Amino acid sequence: MTKEELRSKYLPIGGYFFFIAFGLVVFFIAAFLVVFVRTKSSTMVVMPDVVGKPYNEVHNELMRLQLKVRLESKRYPDKTDGIIIYQSIRPGREVEAGSKVSLTVNIGLDRIDMPNLKGQSLVSAKNSMEKVLSGETYVSLTLGGITYVEVKEGEQPDTVVDQIPEAGKNITAGEKVFLLVTKPSTKKKEGEPQAGLEFKPGDSFAFAQRALVRAKISSKAEVVITKFRPDNGKIESVQKVGNEYKFKVFYFEPEDRVESGYESFVYEAPENGTYSLIVKDQNDETKQMEISAPTTYQEGEKIQTVFYRTGDVTLVLLDEKGSKVKSKDYENEF
C-alpha cells in the first residue's frame, strides 16, 4: 500500500481521535477552573472556641463570621446558666462563611412563667411567690423590693398595682421580683403630716418614678452604665434636694431588644423649660403612662431616664404645654 493510500485511509481516523482528545483536555481544564474559582471565591472563617462562654457574649461574633447558629439546650444545675457547653465545629477549624454550627446552651436554673400578682394583697402576693410551678416541681421567687404609692380612687390599700417582671414572662427562678403596692390604711392623728416617699439603693427606679408621678413630685436621673445585668434598672443612689429627687440609675445595654426589658433615654433640653416623659403603646393609642412628673431643666442639660418596656412602645418628651419635643421608638427585634 502506497503512502498516499495510507494517508487517505488513516488520517481521518487520527483527526477524529485528536479532536476527541483535544475536547477532553478543554473540558477538564474548564472544570478545574470552575472548581478553582468557586473555591477561591468562598470566604473561609476560623471557628472560635466558645465553650464555657455565655451565648449572649459570643452571639455578635458568630453573626460577624456569618455562621448559621442552631441552638439546643440542656439543664445542668451545677453549671452556670446560659453558658455554652458544646459546639459542633471544633475550635480553630476553617469553614466556609454560612456554615451551620450547633451550640448547646446550659439552662442551669429553673424557668417559670411569672404569675400575675396584680390585684392581690401584699400578703397573698408573697404567698403566691413562695410556691410557683416549674415543670413538675415547685420553686420560690425572691422579692427584690416593694415601692409604696398613695391609694387612688377605686384601689384597695396594701394591694399590688404593678409588678416587674410582668405576668406571663418566662423567667428564671433566680430573677428578683419588684412590686408597686398601695400604702396600707392607717388612721392618722389630727395634724399629723403626710408620710414622705422613701427610696433606697437597690430599689426599682421604674417604680420610684411611678410613685413620684402619682405624688406629682419632680425628679431627675443620671444613667450609670453597668456590666452586671442583675443591677439593671436599680437605683444606685438617691438624694433629695429641696422638693426634687435626684437619682443615679444602673443600666445594662441589652444585646438584642426582646419583648420586654429596661430601656434608656438621654436627650439635651433644647431650651430652659419644664419637661415630662410619657410612654405610649404602639399597638393601642389609648394606652399611655407617665413616667416622670414635670421637671425643670436648663438649656443643654441632659434629660435622662431608665424605664421598663413591655411590647413595642414610643417614649415621648413633652414640654410644659404638652407639645412633643422628641420621641423615640423601642421595639422587639425578633
Side-chain angles (χ1 to χ4, degrees), residues 197 199 205 208-209 212-213 215-222 237-248 273-276 292-298 301-304:
L197 295 172
F199 309 107
F205 175 67
Q209 276 197 311
L212 291 168
V213 167
K216 299 180 179 179
I217 299 174
S218 61
S219 65
K220 292 182 179 179
E222 178 185 340
S237 63
V238 57
Q239 59 176 324
K240 189 177 181 184
V241 181
N243 294 322
E244 187 175 84
Y245 285 83
K246 293 190 176 182
F247 296 90
K248 288 187 177 181
T274 301
Y275 300 88
S276 59
S292 76
T295 303
T296 302
Y297 289 88
Q298 301 299 313
E301 186 178 358
K302 288 185 178 179
I303 302 171
Q304 306 182 58

Side-chain angles (χ1 to χ4, degrees), residues 222-245:
E222 178 185 340
V223 178
V224 179
I225 302 299
T226 179
K227 294 182 179 180
F228 191 47
R229 187 189 296 271
D231 279 342
N232 203 8
K234 293 181 182 178
I235 297 171
E236 188 233 40
S237 63
V238 57
Q239 59 176 324
K240 189 177 181 184
V241 181
N243 294 322
E244 187 175 84
Y245 285 83

Side-chain angles (χ1 to χ4, degrees), residues 119-174:
Q120 296 186 35
S121 68
L122 181 57
V123 172
S124 176
K126 287 181 176 179
N127 289 337
S128 297
M129 290 171 57
E130 285 295 321
K131 196 175 183 181
V132 183
L133 191 62
S134 174
E136 299 179 352
T137 61
Y138 284 95
V139 297
S140 60
L141 293 172
T142 303
L143 182 61
I146 300 171
T147 302
Y148 286 97
V149 292
E150 296 295 335
V151 182
K152 282 186 174 182
E153 185 178 349
E155 294 177 340
Q156 296 296 319
D158 207 28
T159 301
V160 177
V161 293
D162 207 349
Q163 63 184 74
I164 296 176
E166 71 277 14
K169 183 177 182 180
N170 187 257
I171 64 172
T172 68

Side-chain angles (χ1 to χ4, degrees), residues 71-83:
L71 289 178
E72 298 177 346
S73 60
K74 287 189 177 180
R75 185 175 185 271
Y76 294 96
D78 58 329
K79 295 183 181 293
T80 304
D81 185 54
I83 66 165

Side-chain angles (χ1 to χ4, degrees), residues 8 18 20 29 85-86 92 101 116 127 132 160 164 179 184 201 215 237 253-254 256 277 321 324 329:
S8 61
F18 175 79
I20 292 171
I29 291 175
I85 53 180
Y86 169 78
V101 56
N116 187 4
N127 289 337
V132 183
V160 177
I164 296 176
L179 301 177
S237 63
E253 182 70 34
D256 301 300
L277 293 164
K321 295 180 181 178
K324 183 179 76 172
D329 292 334

